[in-house]
Amino acid sequence: MRKLAEEILKVKELAGAPSLAKLYAKALQPRGEGEILPDTEYVRPEIRIDPAHLAAYNRICGFRLGDELPPTYPHMSAFPLQMALMTEPEFPFPLLGMVHVANRITQHRPIGLGETCALRVRAENLRPHEKGTQFDMLSELSTKDGPVWTEVSTYLRRGEGAGPAARGGQPTAPAPTAIWRLPADIGRRYAEVSGDRNPIHLHPLTARLFGFSSAIAHGMWTKARALAAFEGRLGDSFTVDVRFKRPVPLPSTVAFTSWRTGDGWAFELWRARKPVPHLEGVIAAAKPPLRPGR
């Protein structure tokens, strides 16, 4: 299976992480739009974790310090490769203006701080959406024994859609499990750790250039902060699937709610003073990964 995929995809191997600052500068350059995702896969054959960086990430997201990676941490390595692919000349959409609408992470087993892994990133599943066009960025972290972590990040390119969106009634906020007060600088602090210095997260003035009245929190920070609330209760193998509903303005006060389901958990993040949903997610037992040749 892996050999066949490599024969179809154009593999670009990288010795290190691309510079996100250079990629954001590249994203500002004018470009046209297309209709086909590139048949390119970015690969880093060796990923090693810096203990100091992991500790800084754990602190900003609310995880305990330890020698295993939080389930969202590998996204720190995957995101620069996603950016590199989405700023390639043959990529069909400009990076600026795309919206991260969903993220699904599967941890097949805990990943130790001292492990060396290979990382692969590619784009696929271009499809219509009622608000434009969607596609997935697929990332896979593996060892010699097979995949240990996978991620599907779904992005929306706004434009002419496939039809009207379904309209529901006024949502009702559930009773909160916890109330979190998010400071105005959480976007800048997470940007220092993640390298994701998108202007919409850094300051009200730069956020207003892109249509936001204030800076907004990184979606992957909100997912990580929610998962930190489950630390010690998830076991070794699970899937965490979230939908990003509305941006979280900074500063703000948000309400977090979680409840048990049949085989896991469900959770939501709401604006504390009115029924505005920010994030909804589920945690379920993970299916075993396919092995080569199966």
Coordinates of all heavy atoms in Angstrom, one line a residue, residues 204-292:
P204 N -5.6 43.0 17.9 CA -6.9 43.5 17.3 C -6.6 44.3 16.0 O -7.4 44.2 15.1 CB -7.4 44.4 18.4 CG -6.9 43.9 19.7 CD -5.5 43.4 19.3
L205 N -5.6 45.1 15.9 CA -5.3 45.9 14.7 C -5.1 45.0 13.5 O -5.6 45.3 12.4 CB -4.2 46.9 15.0 CG -4.4 48.0 16.0 CD1 -3.2 48.8 16.2 CD2 -5.6 48.8 15.6
T206 N -4.2 44.0 13.7 CA -4.0 43.1 12.5 C -5.2 42.2 12.2 O -5.4 41.9 11.1 CB -2.7 42.2 12.8 OG1 -2.9 41.5 14.0 CG2 -1.5 43.1 12.9
A207 N -5.9 41.8 13.3 CA -7.1 41.0 13.0 C -8.2 41.8 12.2 O -8.9 41.2 11.4 CB -7.7 40.5 14.3
R208 N -8.3 43.1 12.5 CA -9.3 43.9 11.8 C -9.0 43.9 10.3 O -9.9 44.1 9.5 CB -9.3 45.3 12.4 CG -10.0 45.3 13.7 CD -9.9 46.7 14.4 NE -10.3 46.6 15.8 CZ -9.8 47.3 16.7 NH1 -8.9 48.2 16.4 NH2 -10.2 47.2 18.0
L209 N -7.8 43.8 9.9 CA -7.4 43.8 8.4 C -8.1 42.6 7.7 O -8.2 42.7 6.5 CB -5.9 43.7 8.3 CG -5.1 44.9 8.8 CD1 -3.6 44.7 8.7 CD2 -5.5 46.2 8.1
F210 N -8.4 41.6 8.5 CA -9.0 40.4 7.9 C -10.5 40.2 8.3 O -11.1 39.1 8.2 CB -8.2 39.2 8.3 CG -6.8 39.2 7.7 CD1 -5.8 39.8 8.5 CD2 -6.5 38.7 6.5 CE1 -4.5 39.8 8.0 CE2 -5.2 38.7 6.0 CZ -4.2 39.3 6.7
G211 N -11.1 41.3 8.8 CA -12.5 41.3 9.1 C -13.0 40.9 10.4 O -14.2 40.7 10.7
F212 N -12.0 40.8 11.4 CA -12.4 40.4 12.8 C -12.3 41.6 13.6 O -11.4 42.5 13.5 CB -11.4 39.3 13.3 CG -11.5 38.0 12.6 CD1 -10.6 37.7 11.5 CD2 -12.4 37.1 12.9 CE1 -10.6 36.5 10.9 CE2 -12.5 35.9 12.2 CZ -11.6 35.6 11.2
S213 N -13.2 41.8 14.6 CA -13.3 42.9 15.5 C -12.2 42.9 16.6 O -11.9 43.9 17.2 CB -14.7 43.0 16.1 OG -15.0 41.9 16.8
S214 N -11.7 41.7 16.8 CA -10.6 41.5 17.8 C -9.7 40.3 17.3 O -10.1 39.6 16.4 CB -11.2 41.2 19.2 OG -11.8 39.9 19.2
A215 N -8.6 40.1 18.0 CA -7.8 38.9 17.7 C -8.6 37.7 18.2 O -9.5 37.8 19.1 CB -6.5 39.0 18.5
I216 N -8.4 36.6 17.5 CA -9.1 35.3 17.9 C -8.1 34.2 18.2 O -7.0 34.2 17.8 CB -10.0 34.9 16.7 CG1 -9.2 34.5 15.5 CG2 -11.1 35.9 16.4 CD1 -10.0 33.9 14.3
A217 N -8.6 33.3 19.1 CA -7.7 32.2 19.5 C -7.5 31.2 18.4 O -8.3 31.1 17.5 CB -8.4 31.5 20.7
H218 N -6.3 30.6 18.4 CA -6.0 29.5 17.4 C -7.0 28.4 17.7 O -7.2 28.0 18.8 CB -4.6 29.0 17.6 CG -3.5 30.0 17.3 ND1 -3.2 31.1 18.1 CD2 -2.6 30.0 16.2 CE1 -2.2 31.7 17.5 NE2 -1.8 31.1 16.4
G219 N -7.5 27.8 16.6 CA -8.4 26.7 16.7 C -7.7 25.5 17.4 O -8.3 24.8 18.3
M220 N -6.4 25.2 17.0 CA -5.7 24.1 17.6 C -5.4 24.3 19.1 O -5.2 23.4 19.8 CB -4.5 23.7 16.8 CG -4.9 23.1 15.4 SD -5.9 21.6 15.5 CE -4.8 20.5 16.4
W221 N -5.3 25.6 19.5 CA -5.1 25.8 20.9 C -6.4 25.5 21.7 O -6.3 24.9 22.7 CB -4.7 27.3 21.2 CG -4.6 27.5 22.7 CD1 -3.4 27.3 23.4 CD2 -5.6 28.0 23.6 NE1 -3.7 27.6 24.7 CE2 -5.0 28.0 24.9 CE3 -6.9 28.4 23.4 CZ2 -5.7 28.4 26.0 CZ3 -7.6 28.8 24.6 CH2 -7.0 28.8 25.8
T222 N -7.5 25.9 21.1 CA -8.8 25.5 21.8 C -9.0 24.0 21.9 O -9.5 23.5 22.9 CB -10.0 26.2 21.1 OG1 -10.1 25.7 19.8 CG2 -9.9 27.7 21.1
K223 N -8.6 23.3 20.8 CA -8.7 21.9 20.9 C -7.8 21.3 21.9 O -8.2 20.4 22.7 CB -8.4 21.2 19.5 CG -8.5 19.7 19.5 CD -8.4 19.1 18.1 CE -8.5 17.6 18.2 NZ -8.5 17.0 16.9
A224 N -6.5 21.8 22.0 CA -5.6 21.3 23.0 C -6.0 21.6 24.4 O -5.9 20.7 25.3 CB -4.2 21.9 22.7
R225 N -6.5 22.8 24.6 CA -7.0 23.2 25.9 C -8.1 22.3 26.4 O -8.2 21.9 27.6 CB -7.4 24.7 25.9 CG -7.9 25.2 27.3 CD -6.7 25.1 28.3 NE -7.2 25.5 29.6 CZ -7.7 24.6 30.5 NH1 -7.8 23.3 30.2 NH2 -8.0 25.0 31.7
A226 N -9.0 22.0 25.4 CA -10.1 21.1 25.8 C -9.6 19.7 26.1 O -10.1 19.0 27.1 CB -11.1 21.0 24.6
L227 N -8.7 19.2 25.4 CA -8.1 17.8 25.6 C -7.4 17.8 27.0 O -7.4 16.7 27.6 CB -7.2 17.4 24.5 CG -7.9 16.8 23.3 CD1 -6.9 16.5 22.2 CD2 -8.8 15.6 23.6
A228 N -6.8 18.9 27.3 CA -6.1 18.9 28.6 C -7.0 18.6 29.8 O -6.6 18.1 30.8 CB -5.3 20.2 28.8
A229 N -8.3 19.0 29.6 CA -9.3 18.7 30.6 C -9.6 17.2 30.8 O -10.1 16.8 31.8 CB -10.6 19.4 30.3
F230 N -9.2 16.4 29.8 CA -9.4 14.9 29.9 C -8.2 14.2 30.3 O -8.2 12.9 30.3 CB -9.9 14.4 28.6 CG -11.3 14.9 28.2 CD1 -11.4 16.0 27.3 CD2 -12.4 14.3 28.7 CE1 -12.7 16.5 26.9 CE2 -13.7 14.8 28.4 CZ -13.8 15.9 27.5
E231 N -7.1 14.9 30.6 CA -5.8 14.2 30.8 C -5.9 13.1 31.9 O -6.5 13.4 33.0 CB -4.7 15.2 31.1 CG -3.3 14.7 30.9 CD -2.3 15.8 30.9 OE1 -2.6 16.9 31.5 OE2 -1.2 15.7 30.3
G232 N -5.4 11.9 31.6 CA -5.5 10.8 32.6 C -6.7 10.0 32.5 O -6.8 9.0 33.2
R233 N -7.6 10.3 31.6 CA -8.9 9.6 31.5 C -9.1 8.9 30.1 O -10.2 8.3 29.9 CB -10.1 10.5 31.8 CG -10.1 11.0 33.2 CD -11.4 11.8 33.5 NE -11.3 13.2 32.9 CZ -12.3 14.0 32.8 NH1 -13.5 13.7 33.3 NH2 -12.1 15.2 32.3
L234 N -8.1 9.1 29.2 CA -8.4 8.7 27.8 C -7.8 7.4 27.4 O -8.1 6.8 26.3 CB -7.9 9.8 26.8 CG -8.6 11.1 27.0 CD1 -8.1 12.1 26.0 CD2 -10.1 11.0 26.9
G235 N -6.9 6.8 28.1 CA -6.2 5.6 27.7 C -5.2 5.8 26.7 O -4.7 6.9 26.4
D236 N -4.7 4.7 26.0 CA -3.6 4.8 25.1 C -3.9 5.1 23.7 O -3.2 5.7 22.9 CB -2.7 3.5 25.2 CG -2.0 3.4 26.5 OD1 -1.9 4.4 27.2 OD2 -1.6 2.2 26.8
S237 N -5.1 4.7 23.3 CA -5.5 4.7 21.8 C -6.9 5.3 21.7 O -7.9 4.8 22.3 CB -5.5 3.3 21.2 OG -5.9 3.4 19.9
F238 N -7.1 6.4 21.0 CA -8.4 7.1 20.8 C -8.3 8.0 19.6 O -7.3 8.4 19.1 CB -8.7 7.9 22.1 CG -7.6 8.8 22.6 CD1 -7.5 10.1 22.1 CD2 -6.7 8.3 23.5 CE1 -6.5 10.9 22.5 CE2 -5.7 9.2 23.9 CZ -5.6 10.5 23.4
T239 N -9.5 8.5 19.2 CA -9.7 9.5 18.2 C -10.4 10.7 18.8 O -11.4 10.5 19.5 CB -10.5 8.9 17.0 OG1 -9.7 7.9 16.4 CG2 -10.8 10.0 16.0
V240 N -9.9 11.9 18.5 CA -10.5 13.1 18.9 C -10.9 13.9 17.7 O -10.1 14.3 16.9 CB -9.6 14.0 19.8 CG1 -10.3 15.2 20.3 CG2 -9.0 13.1 20.9
D241 N -12.2 14.1 17.5 CA -12.8 14.7 16.3 C -13.5 16.0 16.7 O -14.4 16.0 17.5 CB -13.8 13.8 15.6 CG -14.0 14.2 14.2 OD1 -13.6 15.3 13.7 OD2 -14.7 13.4 13.5
V242 N -13.1 17.2 16.2 CA -13.7 18.4 16.6 C -14.2 19.2 15.3 O -13.6 19.0 14.2 CB -12.8 19.3 17.4 CG1 -12.3 18.6 18.6 CG2 -11.6 19.9 16.6
R243 N -15.2 20.0 15.6 CA -15.7 21.0 14.6 C -15.5 22.4 15.2 O -15.9 22.6 16.3 CB -17.1 20.7 14.2 CG -17.4 19.4 13.6 CD -16.8 19.3 12.2 NE -17.1 18.0 11.6 CZ -16.3 16.9 11.6 NH1 -15.2 17.0 12.4 NH2 -16.7 15.8 11.0
F244 N -14.8 23.3 14.4 CA -14.7 24.6 14.9 C -15.9 25.4 14.4 O -16.1 25.6 13.2 CB -13.4 25.2 14.3 CG -12.1 24.4 14.7 CD1 -11.4 23.8 13.8 CD2 -11.7 24.4 16.0 CE1 -10.3 23.0 14.1 CE2 -10.6 23.7 16.4 CZ -9.9 23.0 15.5
K245 N -16.7 25.9 15.3 CA -18.0 26.5 15.0 C -17.9 28.0 14.7 O -18.1 28.6 13.7 CB -19.0 26.2 16.1 CG -19.1 24.8 16.4 CD -19.7 23.9 15.3 CE -21.1 24.2 15.1 NZ -21.7 23.3 14.1
R246 N -17.5 28.8 15.8 CA -17.3 30.2 15.7 C -16.0 30.6 16.3 O -15.5 30.0 17.3 CB -18.5 30.9 16.5 CG -19.9 30.6 16.0 CD -20.3 31.6 14.9 NE -21.7 31.3 14.5 CZ -22.8 31.9 15.1 NH1 -22.5 32.8 16.0 NH2 -24.0 31.7 14.7
P247 N -15.3 31.7 15.8 CA -14.1 32.1 16.4 C -14.2 32.5 17.9 O -15.3 33.0 18.3 CB -13.7 33.3 15.5 CG -14.4 33.1 14.3 CD -15.7 32.5 14.6
V248 N -13.2 32.3 18.6 CA -13.1 32.7 20.0 C -12.4 34.1 20.1 O -11.2 34.1 19.9 CB -12.4 31.7 20.9 CG1 -12.4 32.1 22.4 CG2 -13.0 30.3 20.8
P249 N -13.2 35.1 20.4 CA -12.5 36.5 20.5 C -11.6 36.6 21.7 O -11.9 35.9 22.7 CB -13.7 37.4 20.6 CG -14.8 36.6 21.1 CD -14.6 35.2 20.7
L250 N -10.6 37.4 21.6 CA -9.7 37.6 22.8 C -9.7 39.0 23.2 O -9.6 39.9 22.3 CB -8.3 37.1 22.4 CG -8.1 35.7 22.0 CD1 -6.7 35.4 21.5 CD2 -8.5 34.8 23.2
P251 N -9.8 39.3 24.5 CA -10.0 38.3 25.6 C -11.5 37.9 25.6 O -12.3 38.6 25.0 CB -9.7 39.1 26.8 CG -10.0 40.5 26.5 CD -9.7 40.7 25.0
S252 N -11.8 36.8 26.3 CA -13.2 36.4 26.5 C -13.3 35.4 27.6 O -12.2 34.9 28.1 CB -13.7 35.8 25.2 OG -13.0 34.6 24.9
T253 N -14.5 35.1 28.0 CA -14.8 34.1 29.0 C -15.6 33.0 28.3 O -16.6 33.3 27.7 CB -15.5 34.7 30.2 OG1 -14.8 35.7 30.8 CG2 -15.8 33.6 31.2
V254 N -15.2 31.8 28.4 CA -15.9 30.7 27.7 C -16.3 29.6 28.7 O -15.7 29.4 29.7 CB -15.0 30.1 26.6 CG1 -14.7 31.1 25.5 CG2 -13.7 29.5 27.2
A255 N -17.3 28.9 28.3 CA -17.8 27.8 29.1 C -17.5 26.4 28.4 O -17.8 26.2 27.3 CB -19.3 27.9 29.3
F256 N -16.9 25.5 29.2 CA -16.5 24.2 28.7 C -17.5 23.2 29.4 O -17.7 23.2 30.6 CB -15.1 23.9 29.1 CG -14.7 22.5 28.7 CD1 -14.4 22.1 27.4 CD2 -14.6 21.5 29.8 CE1 -14.0 20.8 27.1 CE2 -14.2 20.2 29.5 CZ -13.9 19.9 28.2
T257 N -18.0 22.3 28.5 CA -18.9 21.2 29.0 C -18.5 19.9 28.4 O -18.1 19.8 27.3 CB -20.3 21.5 28.5 OG1 -20.8 22.8 29.0 CG2 -21.3 20.5 29.1
S258 N -18.5 18.9 29.2 CA -18.2 17.5 28.8 C -19.1 16.5 29.4 O -19.7 16.7 30.5 CB -16.7 17.2 29.1 OG -16.5 17.1 30.6
W259 N -19.3 15.4 28.7 CA -20.2 14.3 29.2 C -19.8 13.0 28.6 O -19.2 13.0 27.5 CB -21.7 14.6 29.0 CG -22.1 14.7 27.5 CD1 -22.6 13.7 26.8 CD2 -22.0 15.9 26.7 NE1 -22.9 14.2 25.5 CE2 -22.5 15.5 25.4 CE3 -21.5 17.2 26.9 CZ2 -22.6 16.4 24.3 CZ3 -21.6 18.1 25.8 CH2 -22.1 17.7 24.6
R260 N -20.1 11.9 29.3 CA -19.8 10.6 28.9 C -20.7 10.2 27.8 O -21.9 10.5 27.7 CB -19.9 9.6 30.0 CG -18.8 9.7 31.1 CD -17.4 9.5 30.5 NE -17.1 8.3 29.8 CZ -16.4 7.3 30.3 NH1 -15.9 7.3 31.5 NH2 -16.3 6.2 29.6
T261 N -20.2 9.4 26.8 CA -20.9 8.8 25.7 C -20.8 7.3 25.9 O -20.1 6.8 26.8 CB -20.5 9.3 24.4 OG1 -19.1 8.9 24.1 CG2 -20.7 10.8 24.3
G262 N -21.3 6.5 24.9 CA -21.2 5.1 25.0 C -19.8 4.5 25.1 O -19.5 3.7 26.0
D263 N -18.8 5.0 24.3 CA -17.5 4.5 24.3 C -16.5 5.6 24.5 O -15.3 5.4 24.2 CB -17.1 3.7 23.0 CG -17.2 4.6 21.8 OD1 -17.7 5.8 21.9 OD2 -16.6 4.2 20.8
G264 N -16.9 6.8 25.0 CA -15.9 7.9 25.2 C -16.6 9.1 25.8 O -17.3 9.0 26.8
W265 N -16.3 10.2 25.2 CA -16.7 11.5 25.7 C -17.2 12.4 24.6 O -16.8 12.2 23.4 CB -15.5 12.2 26.4 CG -15.0 11.5 27.6 CD1 -14.1 10.5 27.7 CD2 -15.4 11.8 29.0 NE1 -13.9 10.2 29.0 CE2 -14.7 10.9 29.8 CE3 -16.3 12.7 29.6 CZ2 -14.8 10.9 31.2 CZ3 -16.4 12.7 30.9 CH2 -15.7 11.8 31.7
A266 N -18.0 13.4 24.9 CA -18.3 14.5 24.0 C -18.1 15.8 24.8 O -18.1 15.8 26.0 CB -19.8 14.4 23.6
F267 N -17.8 16.9 24.1 CA -17.5 18.1 24.8 C -17.8 19.3 23.8 O -17.9 19.1 22.6 CB -16.0 18.2 25.2 CG -15.0 18.0 24.1 CD1 -14.4 19.1 23.5 CD2 -14.6 16.7 23.7 CE1 -13.5 19.0 22.5 CE2 -13.7 16.6 22.7 CZ -13.1 17.7 22.1
E268 N -18.0 20.4 24.5 CA -18.4 21.7 23.7 C -17.7 22.9 24.4 O -17.5 22.9 25.6 CB -19.9 21.9 23.6 CG -20.6 20.8 22.8 CD -22.1 21.0 22.8 OE1 -22.6 21.8 23.6 OE2 -22.8 20.3 21.9
L269 N -17.5 23.9 23.6 CA -17.0 25.2 24.1 C -17.9 26.3 23.6 O -18.2 26.3 22.4 CB -15.6 25.4 23.7 CG -14.8 26.5 24.4 CD1 -14.5 26.1 25.8 CD2 -13.5 26.8 23.6
W270 N -18.4 27.1 24.6 CA -19.4 28.1 24.3 C -18.9 29.4 24.8 O -18.2 29.5 25.8 CB -20.8 27.8 24.9 CG -21.5 26.6 24.4 CD1 -21.1 25.3 24.6 CD2 -22.6 26.6 23.5 NE1 -22.0 24.4 24.0 CE2 -22.9 25.2 23.3 CE3 -23.4 27.5 23.0 CZ2 -24.0 24.8 22.5 CZ3 -24.5 27.2 22.2 CH2 -24.7 25.8 22.0
R271 N -19.5 30.5 24.2 CA -19.3 31.8 24.9 C -20.1 31.8 26.2 O -21.2 31.3 26.3 CB -19.9 32.9 24.0 CG -19.5 34.3 24.5 CD -20.0 35.4 23.5 NE -19.4 35.3 22.2 CZ -19.6 36.1 21.2 NH1 -20.5 37.1 21.3 NH2 -19.0 35.9 20.0
A272 N -19.5 32.3 27.2 CA -20.1 32.1 28.6 C -21.4 32.8 28.8 O -22.2 32.3 29.5 CB -19.0 32.6 29.6
R273 N -21.6 34.0 28.2 CA -22.8 34.8 28.5 C -23.9 34.7 27.5 O -24.9 35.3 27.7 CB -22.3 36.3 28.7 CG -21.4 36.5 29.9 CD -21.1 37.9 30.1 NE -20.2 38.2 31.2 CZ -19.8 39.3 31.6 NH1 -20.2 40.4 31.0 NH2 -19.0 39.4 32.7
K274 N -23.7 34.0 26.4 CA -24.8 33.9 25.4 C -24.5 32.6 24.6 O -23.4 32.1 24.6 CB -24.8 35.1 24.4 CG -23.6 35.3 23.6 CD -23.8 36.4 22.5 CE -24.1 37.7 23.1 NZ -24.2 38.8 22.1
P275 N -25.6 32.0 24.1 CA -25.5 30.7 23.4 C -24.8 30.8 22.0 O -25.4 30.5 21.0 CB -26.9 30.2 23.3 CG -27.7 31.5 23.2 CD -27.0 32.5 24.0
V276 N -23.5 31.1 22.0 CA -22.7 31.1 20.8 C -21.7 29.9 20.9 O -20.8 30.0 21.7 CB -21.9 32.4 20.6 CG1 -21.0 32.4 19.4 CG2 -22.9 33.6 20.5
P277 N -21.8 28.9 20.1 CA -20.9 27.8 20.1 C -19.6 28.1 19.4 O -19.5 28.6 18.4 CB -21.7 26.7 19.4 CG -22.5 27.4 18.4 CD -22.9 28.7 19.0
H278 N -18.5 27.7 20.1 CA -17.2 27.9 19.5 C -16.6 26.5 19.0 O -16.0 26.5 17.9 CB -16.2 28.4 20.6 CG -16.5 29.8 21.0 ND1 -16.6 30.8 20.2 CD2 -16.7 30.3 22.3 CE1 -16.9 31.9 20.8 NE2 -17.0 31.6 22.1
L279 N -16.8 25.4 19.7 CA -16.2 24.2 19.3 C -17.1 23.0 19.8 O -17.6 23.1 20.9 CB -14.8 24.1 19.9 CG -14.0 22.8 19.8 CD1 -12.5 23.2 19.7 CD2 -14.2 21.9 20.9
E280 N -17.2 22.0 19.1 CA -17.8 20.7 19.6 C -17.0 19.6 19.2 O -16.3 19.6 18.1 CB -19.2 20.6 19.0 CG -19.3 20.5 17.5 CD -20.8 20.4 17.0 OE1 -21.7 20.9 17.7 OE2 -21.0 20.0 15.9
G281 N -16.9 18.6 20.0 CA -16.0 17.4 19.7 C -16.5 16.2 20.4 O -17.3 16.2 21.3
V282 N -15.9 15.0 19.9 CA -16.1 13.7 20.5 C -14.8 13.0 20.6 O -13.9 13.2 19.8 CB -17.1 12.9 19.6 CG1 -18.5 13.5 19.6 CG2 -16.6 12.8 18.2
I283 N -14.7 12.2 21.6 CA -13.6 11.3 21.8 C -14.1 9.9 21.8 O -15.0 9.5 22.6 CB -12.8 11.6 23.1 CG1 -12.5 13.1 23.2 CG2 -11.6 10.8 23.3 CD1 -11.9 13.6 24.5
A284 N -13.5 9.0 21.0 CA -13.9 7.6 20.9 C -12.7 6.7 20.8 O -11.6 7.1 20.4 CB -14.9 7.5 19.7
A285 N -13.0 5.4 21.0 CA -11.9 4.4 20.9 C -11.4 4.4 19.4 O -12.2 4.5 18.5 CB -12.4 3.0 21.3
A286 N -10.1 4.3 19.2 CA -9.5 4.3 17.9 C -9.6 2.9 17.3 O -9.4 1.9 17.9 CB -8.1 4.8 17.9
K287 N -9.8 2.9 15.9 CA -9.7 1.6 15.2 C -8.2 1.4 14.9 O -7.4 2.3 14.7 CB -10.4 1.7 13.9 CG -11.9 1.9 14.0 CD -12.6 2.0 12.7 CE -14.1 2.2 12.9 NZ -14.8 2.4 11.6
P288 N -7.8 0.1 14.9 CA -6.3 -0.2 14.7 C -6.0 0.3 13.2 O -6.7 0.2 12.3 CB -6.2 -1.7 14.8 CG -7.6 -2.2 14.6 CD -8.5 -1.1 15.1
P289 N -4.7 0.8 13.1 CA -4.3 1.3 11.7 C -4.1 0.1 10.8 O -3.7 -1.0 11.2 CB -3.0 2.0 12.0 CG -2.5 1.4 13.3 CD -3.7 1.0 14.1
L290 N -4.3 0.4 9.5 CA -4.0 -0.6 8.5 C -2.5 -0.8 8.3 O -1.8 0.1 8.3 CB -4.6 -0.2 7.1 CG -6.2 -0.3 7.1 CD1 -6.6 0.2 5.7 CD2 -6.7 -1.7 7.3
R291 N -2.1 -2.1 8.2 CA -0.7 -2.3 8.0 C -0.4 -2.5 6.5 O -1.3 -2.8 5.7 CB -0.3 -3.7 8.7 CG -0.5 -3.6 10.2 CD 0.4 -2.5 10.8 NE 0.2 -2.5 12.3 CZ 0.7 -1.6 13.1 NH1 1.4 -0.6 12.5 NH2 0.5 -1.7 14.4
P292 N 0.8 -2.2 6.0 CA 1.1 -2.4 4.6 C 0.8 -3.7 4.1 O 1.0 -4.8 4.8 CB 2.6 -2.1 4.6 CG 2.9 -1.3 5.8 CD 2.0 -1.7 6.8

